[in-house]
Amino acid sequence: MNKLNIKKNDTVVVVAGKDKGKKGKVLSAIPSKNRVVVEGVNFATVHTSPQKTGGKDSGIMRREASLHVSNVMRVCPKCNEPTRAAHSFLEDGTKVRVCKKCNETI
Ligand SMILES: [Zn+2]
């Protein structure tokens, strides 16, 4: 079902776009769209329409917009380096993710 290799609460670093280099925690993952929402990254300005509020409460809200997963890379919680996890199997056949940098199971 979940084809994303990035999950909620993973730490990721942005590798493309205006927020390149920023790190943050994944707030939510949207596997059907291959998108993730990352804390503090890709803020989008949402204008509140004055027409809808009778001209009084026109305002600007800022909140995180989703990013395509190809624009982020998972950060290894062990060595704190951006990494693409390799898949490996334990002796009992359990599939695990392994950091290619430090070889720790992540
Ligand atoms: Zn690592």
Side-chain angles (χ1 to χ4, degrees):
M1 286 282 284
N2 188 344
K3 288 182 183 172
L4 293 183
N5 59 7
I6 293 169
K7 296 193 188 103
K8 190 176 176 182
N9 293 327
D10 278 352
T11 298
V12 296
V13 61
V14 181
V15 295
K18 68 183 167 70
D19 286 324
K20 188 173 176 178
K22 279 192 187 175
K23 270 185 198 173
K25 194 174 76 175
V26 175
L27 297 176
S28 64
I30 312 158
S32 60
K33 292 182 176 172
N34 283 319
R35 299 183 79 85
V36 290
V37 178
V38 183
E39 187 173 40
V41 170
N42 200 29
F43 272 108
T45 306
V46 181
H47 291 270
T48 309
S49 164
Q51 279 91 30
K52 283 180 186 165
T53 57
K56 286 180 182 171
D57 274 338
S58 132
I60 295 170
M61 277 169 38
R62 283 165 65 76
R63 57 164 301 168
E64 292 98 340
S66 64
L67 291 161
H68 196 265
V69 289
S70 64
N71 290 339
V72 299
M73 251 179 117
R74 202 159 181 275
V75 174
C76 171
K78 299 275 167 54
C79 65
N80 213 28
E81 291 286 333
T83 183
R84 291 206 190 278
H87 285 115
S88 183
F89 293 91
L90 300 179
E91 283 177 19
D92 65 359
T94 308
K95 193 175 180 183
V96 292
R97 296 191 298 186
V98 176
C99 171
K100 285 184 180 175
K101 295 255 168 76
C102 66
N103 288 321
E104 289 281 350
T105 306
I106 55 176

